[in-house]
Amino acid sequence: MSAVIHPAKTSGTPRAPRESSGARLAVRRFLRNRLAVVGLGVVVFFVLFCFVGPLVYSTDQTHTALQQVNLAPNGAHWLGTDAVGHDELGRLMYGGKVSLIVGLAAGVLATVIGTLWGAVAGYAGGWIDAVMMRVVDAGIAIPALFILLVVSAITTPGLAGLILILGLVSWLVPSRLIRAETLTLKNRDYVLTLRAIGGTHARAILRHILPNSVSTVIVATTFQIADAILLVAYVSYLGLGVQPPDTDWGGMLSTGLTAAYSGYWWLILPPGLAIILVVWAFNAIGDGLRDAFDVRGRG
């Protein structure tokens, strides 16, 4: 008696084990970094606080109220009022919105400029690379804060002007990072093959070099955002940043410093802590992303 063979049970092809993509591995590694996750939570909190908060906690940040200046925190004003009667909690939201917008926009702009500059320099090589990187070295030798102070003393930049200036003085470090990455990528087989079949240099950079440098670009962006927030706080603290009636956390810190000697602690602690927390958060996120994209650490 012959055995009956059921094709349905024997002819099926074995299923290949399901493998996680590189992006999923990076997310898992990032989520295992507790400091990075906390930093992400801090950034999300401040974004909601600054952009959604004013819709819930509405205050007048335009007109002065001299009858309620320098009030201590109370039920009506949770963080008190400043020297012209503005609600300090509402001011913190308003100033934070400016700081975050300038920091995010300037950080992204600096990374875009630095990425393109570094990719072209690294890919071209030779004397072009040498000249372009000497420009970078000369720029790094001049402190960014010094350039900002000189420009701010000559002109009073608005919000868009401040973003542009910060972006133009902050792109140097990302350009060196991307150049180093490009020097490695341009000798990969897919780039050499493209050049062998007559592909243009622009195509090699835009379609192969930059997409494969995305992890470095993302990490550089987070650090640039943190640096931009600090820079705008510096110049605003010195009175050369965002001009009244607008403000940011640096301007609030500058205004509150003199009042702190009179015991008005609520005018200096909130903006100071906000700057520290946000800058730390973006740096923690950058560290977490750098570890997450590190292929050598993946198991």
Side-chain angles (χ1 to χ4, degrees):
M1 185 176 179
S2 59
V4 179
I5 299 175
H6 299 281
K9 294 183 179 180
T10 60
S11 61
T13 56
R15 297 178 62 183
R18 188 176 181 180
E19 297 182 357
S20 298
S21 65
R24 290 181 180 178
L25 285 173
V27 171
R28 290 178 185 175
R29 288 178 58 82
F30 180 83
L31 294 178
R32 285 201 295 264
N33 189 322
R34 295 183 179 180
L35 285 179
V37 174
V38 172
L40 181 60
V42 171
V43 170
V44 171
F45 167 78
F46 274 103
V47 169
L48 294 176
F49 174 77
C50 296
F51 291 90
V52 181
L55 303 178
V56 179
Y57 189 82
S58 180
T59 59
D60 184 0
Q61 297 296 324
T62 304
H63 303 91
T64 60
L66 300 180
Q67 71 278 12
Q68 52 182 16
V69 300
N70 295 327
L71 295 180
N74 54 68
H77 305 283
W78 293 1
L79 285 181
T81 61
D82 62 10
V84 294
H86 289 148
D87 183 273
E88 186 70 3
L89 179 58
R91 199 72 173 165
L92 193 66
M93 296 176 183
Y94 184 76
K97 183 186 297 184
V98 175
S99 293
L100 289 176
I101 289 175
V102 173
L104 287 168
V108 171
L109 177 61
T111 306
V112 169
I113 296 173
T115 296
L116 294 176
W117 187 278
V120 171
Y123 181 82
W127 67 270
I128 297 178
D129 178 36
V131 171
M132 294 179 71
M133 296 316 295
R134 295 299 76 75
V135 173
V136 172
D137 292 340
I140 291 178
I142 305 174
L145 183 59
F146 174 76
I147 299 175
L148 286 173
L149 292 177
V150 171
V151 174
S152 299
I154 296 174
T155 181
T156 303
L159 198 61
L162 190 59
I163 292 172
L164 181 62
I165 294 171
L166 286 172
L168 291 177
V169 301
S170 304
W171 61 271
L172 302 169
V173 173
S175 69
R176 301 187 74 170
L177 295 174
I178 301 303
R179 172 186 176 268
E181 189 79 8
T182 303
L183 290 175
T184 301
L185 293 174
K186 75 175 185 178
N187 294 318
R188 298 288 177 87
D189 291 340
Y190 48 82
V191 177
L192 296 177
T193 301
L194 175 67
R195 294 172 62 183
I197 63 176
T200 63
H201 298 308
R203 182 179 178 84
I205 293 175
L206 297 176
R207 296 296 297 275
H208 294 286
I209 301 294
L210 294 183
N212 285 283
S213 304
V214 64
S215 60
T216 304
V217 172
I218 293 174
V219 173
T221 302
T222 58
F223 289 124
Q224 288 306 122
I225 292 172
D227 290 344
I229 292 175
L230 271 181
L231 282 174
V232 71
Y234 290 156
V235 294
S236 295
Y237 178 80
L238 296 173
L240 300 174
V242 179
Q243 299 300 311
D246 294 329
T247 190
D248 58 50
W249 286 336
M252 293 178 64
L253 199 61
S254 176
T255 303
L257 184 62
T258 55
Y261 294 114
S262 302
Y264 304 143
W265 57 267
W266 57 89
L267 298 182
I268 188 171
L269 284 183
L273 288 175
I275 294 172
I276 292 172
L277 286 174
V278 170
V279 171
W280 170 84
F282 275 109
N283 281 321
I285 293 172
D287 288 335
L289 289 172
R290 181 175 56 195
D291 294 340
F293 287 121
D294 186 6
V295 178
R296 293 170 299 177
R298 292 179 183 172

